[in-house]
């Protein structure tokens, strides 16, 4: 257009694009910007809360990492289901945003259940503390995941594709987090870091639980 209107009366005119395609392009740009901003703010806010609650900089890192890993795994599996198996062109544009918000909010609750109990046993050896925490909280976490999974499964018969996709991602994510990531990945990370789980609050930890 700029080449065609050069040296004409319209040379200084403002050129814009309208129609359905441009509306979808604007919607895509806005949704991506909102998604990125929301993810950043959520992760920063959750990190600060976990640092204060768990008195550690290490535990929040691998807890948030476990949630991000679960989210992307659930998204990948869901895309395989809807695109490769069911033949849809892709996941609806609004689905990643809502799925991330809900899955991270639920997953961090389960993490806090486990790690708060782990902190109660911090005067014990790390391996014994995490085993006791899993023993005490495992049933609670799995029960909560089953109940919430049933709630989200009620969205399946709605017939609205975006709701079905969100429900599928959440069901897969809850199953992965409560049955695989939280019982396996998190305890492995706890055992790997050992006493460094409470870094940089190691002195405060020792002061709270003096050795007789």
């Amino acid at each position: 257009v700029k080449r065609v209107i050069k040296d004409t009366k319209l040379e200084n005119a403002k050129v814009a694009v309208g129609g359905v395609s441009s509306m979808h392009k604007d919607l895509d740009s806005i949704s991506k910007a909102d998604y990125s901003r929301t993810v950043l703010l959520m992760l920063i806010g959750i990190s600060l809360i976990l640092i204060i609650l768990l008195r550690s900089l290490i535990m929040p890192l691998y807890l948030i990492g476990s949630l991000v890993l679960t989210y992307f795994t659930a998204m990948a599996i869901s895309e395989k289901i809807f695109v490769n198996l069911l033949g849809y062109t892709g996941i609806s544009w609004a689905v990643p945003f809502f799925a991330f918000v809900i899955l991270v909010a639920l997953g961090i609750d389960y993490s806090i259940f486990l790690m708060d109990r782990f902190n109660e046993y911090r005067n014990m050896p790390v391996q014994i503390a995490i085993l006791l925490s899993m023993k005490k909280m495992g049933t609670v976490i799995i029960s909560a995941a089953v109940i919430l999974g049933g709630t989200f499964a009620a969205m399946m018969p709605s017939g609205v594709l975006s709701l079905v996709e969100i429900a599928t991602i959440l069901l897969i994510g809850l199953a992965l987090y409560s049955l695989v990531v939280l019982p396996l990945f998190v305890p492995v990370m706890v055992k790997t870091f050992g006493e460094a789980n409470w870094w940089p609050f190691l002195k405060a930890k020792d002061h709270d639980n003096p050795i007789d």
Side-chain angles (χ1 to χ4, degrees), residues 24-68:
H24 285 305
K25 175 64 170 60
D26 292 341
L27 182 61
D28 181 61
S29 300
I30 294 170
S31 64
K32 285 181 179 178
D34 289 344
Y35 176 76
S36 301
R37 182 169 57 252
T38 301
V39 168
L40 182 62
L41 291 175
M42 278 190 67
L43 294 182
I44 291 174
I46 290 171
S47 299
L48 293 175
I49 293 171
L50 289 177
I51 289 170
I52 296 171
L53 182 65
L54 302 176
R55 297 174 65 186
S56 168
L57 290 178
I58 300 298
M59 285 189 273
L61 290 179
Y62 59 72
L63 290 178
I64 290 176
S66 69
L67 288 170
V68 173

Side-chain angles (χ1 to χ4, degrees), residues 190-201:
V190 169
K191 180 65 169 61
T192 300
F193 283 102
E195 292 295 322
N197 278 290
W198 290 278
W199 185 85
F201 302 99

Side-chain angles (χ1 to χ4, degrees), residues 6 32 38 78 88 110 119 133 142 155 166 168 174 182 186 191 207-208 212:
K6 187 177 182 181
K32 285 181 179 178
T38 301
S78 299
Y88 290 99
Y110 299 160
N119 264 349
S133 302
I142 292 175
M155 299 164 62
I166 291 174
T168 303
L174 287 173
L182 207 56
V186 172
K191 180 65 169 61
H207 178 73
D208 290 342
D212 294 333

Side-chain angles (χ1 to χ4, degrees), residues 84-95:
N84 296 87
L85 295 181
L86 300 180
Y88 290 99
T89 55
I91 300 294
S92 177
W93 66 271
V95 169

Side-chain angles (χ1 to χ4, degrees), residues 91-161:
I91 300 294
S92 177
W93 66 271
V95 169
F97 177 87
F98 291 106
F100 181 86
V101 171
I102 299 172
L103 187 58
V104 170
L106 294 175
I108 204 64
D109 283 346
Y110 299 160
S111 301
I112 290 173
F113 290 160
L114 177 63
M115 302 312 291
D116 190 52
R117 181 57 62 94
F118 173 67
N119 264 349
E120 292 179 7
Y121 299 137
R122 63 181 180 267
N123 58 323
M124 299 181 179
V126 171
Q127 185 173 353
I128 296 175
I130 192 62
L131 287 174
L132 284 174
S133 302
M134 289 297 302
K135 183 178 179 181
K136 297 287 186 182
M137 300 308 298
T139 304
V140 175
I141 292 171
I142 292 175
S143 299
V146 170
I147 293 170
L148 282 170
T151 303
F152 291 122
M155 299 164 62
M156 292 290 193
S158 66
V160 180
L161 181 59

